[in-house]
Amino acid sequence: MANEPYTEGPIHTTVPVVGPDLTFVSVTDKISSLVLKRKTPLWWFIGFAVSFLLVQLLLLTITHLVFTGIGIWGNNVPIGWAFDIINFVWWIGIGHAGTLISAILLLLRQQWRTSINRFAEAMTLFAVASAGLFPLLHAGRPWLLYWMFPYPNTMGIWPQFRSPLMWDVFAISTYGTVSALFWFIGLIPDFATLRDRARSKPFQIIYGMLAMGWRGSARHWHRYEMAYLLLAGLATPLVLSVHTIVSLDFAAGVIPGWHATIFPPYFVAGAIYAGFAMVLVLTIPLRKFYGLEDFITMRHIENMAKVMLATGLIVAYGYIMEAFFGWYSGNIYERFMIYNRMTGPYKWFYWSLILCNVLAPQIIWFKRFRRNLVVLFVLSIVVSIGMWLERFVIIVTSLHRDFLPSSWGMYSPTVWDFSMFLGTIGLFFALLFLFIRFLPIISIFEMRTILPEAELEED
Amino acid sequence: MADEKDKPRTVEEDGKDDTDISASPRLPASMSPNRHASPSLHQTSPRPGVTVGPLYGVMAEFDNPSNLVAAARRTYEAGYRKINGYSPYPIEELWEAIGFHHTRLPIIVLVGGIIGGLGGFLMQYYLSVFDYPLNVGGKPFNSWPAFIPITFETTILCAALAAVFGMLALNKLPQPYHPVFNAPNFKLATRDHFFLVIEANDPRYEHDEVVEFLKSLEPKEVTDVEV
């Protein structure tokens, strides 16, 4: 991963959004050939094989879990949430960057989103799929999942709508549904392109069915653009609500370290932070391996790094406020919680979190670091780890020593906790590998709209 | 809103195609492996004055968006109303040029959102107040602030479903067969070519005249499109 040539001046004046030589033909052919023509590269098989093995580990874990019960995990009485909720919140947070890129940046008319939105939306979907597994299995009897939804039943009972956990059910299922719809709607014109470019009959038929007869009619485009814009407008408050509600799972409880009003904005910023880090982790190797430097330019990379820095600072503010609230509350339990977090048995997690999430990203201030792909790649991994540690700290250190010393305890994960987590990472990457093999990873029709060729010459 | 009703009804809108699908043994052109066997497709040059079989309309092909939009404007100015443009990406000027200014979609989404919001709230209200009243921490049965998050989510969900399915329904998709797929170069409509069609059911449609008119717009090619 060589560094791009170093340029003076602000990036939006020196680096174009897309390479200068791109045309309708080259954009269409390049992106569709990744799916239709190009020989599947060796790294794809290796990557998919590794991910697929991890998926088998996930299936093994789930099978063992369903037959034995959640006692195979390290969860215990003071720490009932542990890995499940840590991983759930971590995955959901990662998903948020996809919606941010596809919806919020669309409303803000940020053209640079076009090269990365398809990919980021896919990441959202797969992250939500990985996230959803955790509360589902944590409930202990996943085959009774439908009890969470309000449906008329012979037991004569209904869900308790005043509980944030119930809000979560609606928020996550709505989020998953809307993300999938948004993604699929965005793909329809590109399915039509693949249908018309495919040479083999099976691909023509499959992409033809997915394109649903799309023919690029102007009337269709008008309604399509309207639908896309409205969906973006709906997804924007939705994505903010999802992590707000996730944070209310904590904030509505009375546990010291959870019961704080800062939680919703702090969680949303953390989600976007983790999500952009994951987009960078995925984008940097992908653009290298597929030679997409003309499509995903340094401007995209640098903009994402800047968003990461901005949200990272908000998260840092959240950490400071948590400590401040603990002290200023004058409440002995709150004060003890912060003291215990910083100096107790889990202090290494807390200080690693500060190192990963607060100190490390400060190097983005320097142009030479934020334009260095290797540095950014490593930093993004560090931030992803940091965000996982954040959820560990919030959940485990708050629960393990609450009000009564007689109910204190310690938590350590078992091998099945790790196998479940690794398994969902495998699921996420296996789905991503399938996605980059069979679907256009960059939105072809949206790329066409930002090319110089698309500018109308008015008489 | 009103415009969508007032605008000229085209074949795609009035659903005539449905009968064509049942009448035609042909597979969807988009998927059909046999489409090259269709005799009409061997024709590469316009055949002014020669009409074989029923025509859907006459199609002009352009290789850049500016010419298409200019041609669409002139076609509309010339009085043709049952016209349509085809492009590989959305061009706002194009749908304005063919006189398609408004769509009913926003009102559909609004209605979807209202149904979702009212439905979500009333469900919680009815269940918590009448059907299954439960004392939770001494809160009133109708503890409406606690019902807002779910109300919000169902509002978004129903509005989003209305946006997606409303768009597909107004566009009459999925629609596997459409006559324009018969045009020889139409595969390029999803790549880098631009098309303008004057449909045969336009009141001012007169085949030879339409062909001459489209030729005067300096397209790359003019072809008949069979139904």
Side-chain angles (χ1 to χ4, degrees), chain A residues 41-253:
Chain A
L42 183 65
W43 59 262
W44 187 89
F45 285 106
I46 297 170
F48 183 70
V50 172
S51 323
F52 196 67
L53 274 178
L54 290 175
V55 174
Q56 306 314 304
L57 183 66
L58 177 67
L59 294 177
L60 183 76
T61 310
I62 292 176
T63 309
H64 182 47
L65 179 83
V66 166
F67 276 89
T68 315
I70 62 167
I72 65 169
W73 288 331
N75 306 26
N76 54 36
V77 165
I79 301 109
W81 276 12
F83 258 45
D84 300 285
I85 307 303
I86 296 169
N87 296 336
F88 162 70
V89 179
W90 189 71
W91 277 123
I92 282 287
I94 284 172
H96 278 36
T99 321
L100 184 97
I101 291 170
S102 58
I104 300 182
L105 295 186
L106 177 77
L107 298 182
L108 296 177
R109 295 179 180 273
Q110 294 294 306
Q111 281 194 339
W112 60 277
R113 79 180 258 290
T114 304
S115 306
I116 49 175
N117 68 330
R118 168 74 43 76
F119 189 74
E121 285 165 34
M123 185 194 77
T124 296
L125 268 186
F126 306 149
V128 171
S130 299
L133 281 176
F134 284 100
L136 171 65
L137 295 169
H138 186 236
R141 292 177 178 79
W143 52 93
L144 296 178
L145 163 78
Y146 61 93
W147 282 13
M148 292 194 284
F149 292 95
Y151 73 103
N153 55 67
T154 52
M155 298 174 286
I157 56 172
W158 291 98
Q160 208 280 86
F161 296 114
R162 298 170 192 89
S163 165
L165 297 180
M166 199 58 220
W167 306 344
D168 228 15
V169 171
F170 280 84
I172 302 297
S173 49
T174 300
Y175 186 50
T177 311
V178 173
S179 301
L181 289 174
F182 201 45
W183 191 58
F184 182 72
I185 286 296
L187 275 164
I188 291 174
D190 286 358
F191 283 139
T193 296
L194 292 178
R195 169 197 70 200
D196 294 344
R197 307 274 311 143
R199 299 239 188 272
S200 75
K201 211 163 112 188
F203 276 125
Q204 284 178 343
I205 291 174
I206 292 167
Y207 290 126
M209 286 166 90
L210 290 168
M212 300 196 290
W214 184 263
R215 53 189 184 272
S217 146
R219 293 169 209 276
H220 287 188
W221 275 125
H222 183 24
R223 298 189 187 107
Y224 179 92
E225 285 288 278
M226 184 61 79
Y228 204 68
L229 194 66
L230 290 171
L231 274 177
L234 292 166
T236 299
L238 174 65
V239 69
L240 300 179
S241 84
V242 171
H243 231 60
T244 297
I245 288 176
V246 169
S247 81
L248 292 177
D249 291 345
F250 300 92

Side-chain angles (χ1 to χ4, degrees), chain A residues 228-455:
Chain A
Y228 204 68
L229 194 66
L230 290 171
L231 274 177
L234 292 166
T236 299
L238 174 65
V239 69
L240 300 179
S241 84
V242 171
H243 231 60
T244 297
I245 288 176
V246 169
S247 81
L248 292 177
D249 291 345
F250 300 92
V254 294
I255 300 290
W258 287 6
H259 195 57
T261 47
I262 187 94
F263 263 42
Y266 155 54
F267 264 53
V268 171
I272 294 164
Y273 185 42
F276 269 86
M278 187 56 93
V279 177
L280 279 170
V281 167
L282 302 173
T283 308
I284 290 172
L286 191 75
R287 93 193 252 278
K288 174 76 186 163
F289 288 147
Y290 270 159
L292 295 173
E293 282 89 350
D294 270 354
F295 294 82
I296 304 169
T297 60
M298 280 315 282
R299 187 154 153 197
H300 297 96
I301 304 280
E302 185 167 330
N303 282 352
M304 287 193 275
K306 286 176 179 169
V307 174
M308 213 164 85
L309 178 62
T311 48
L313 291 173
I314 300 175
V315 168
Y317 174 79
Y319 299 149
I320 296 168
M321 281 302 120
E322 272 191 322
F324 174 75
F325 290 164
W327 168 75
Y328 191 70
S329 69
N331 178 310
I332 55 165
Y333 302 109
E334 292 284 344
R335 280 193 182 177
F336 174 75
M337 180 278 299
I338 275 295
Y339 177 76
N340 181 51
R341 204 174 261 190
M342 292 175 173
T343 63
Y346 292 110
K347 67 179 174 195
W348 294 112
F349 288 87
Y350 184 78
W351 294 112
S352 310
L353 147 73
I354 297 294
L355 177 70
C356 293
N357 274 2
V358 180
L359 299 179
Q362 301 310 319
I363 61 168
I364 302 176
W365 289 107
F366 302 99
K367 199 181 275 174
R368 52 189 291 235
F369 289 124
R370 71 172 179 259
R371 292 188 187 178
N372 184 319
L373 292 173
V374 180
V375 169
L376 263 189
F377 181 73
V378 173
L379 178 69
S380 304
I381 292 176
V382 167
V383 168
S384 300
I385 295 170
M387 285 309 294
W388 188 89
L389 289 171
E390 178 198 303
R391 279 68 181 246
F392 184 94
V393 165
I394 289 174
I395 290 171
V396 175
T397 67
S398 303
L399 284 173
H400 94 116
R401 288 179 178 173
D402 58 2
F403 303 99
L404 287 175
S406 60
S407 61
W408 288 2
M410 288 294 288
Y411 169 75
S412 55
T414 65
V415 64
W416 295 108
D417 280 304
F418 285 107
S419 68
M420 177 90 192
F421 183 41
L422 276 179
T424 53
I425 291 177
L427 176 68
F428 176 78
F429 278 99
L431 290 169
L432 267 182
F433 275 110
L434 289 175
F435 161 69
I436 62 179
R437 176 64 192 82
F438 291 108
L439 295 175
I441 55 174
I442 292 176
S443 175
I444 307 174
F445 87 90
E446 284 177 289
M447 284 302 285
R448 292 186 192 119
T449 63
I450 63 169
L451 296 178
E453 260 185 291
E455 271 176 38

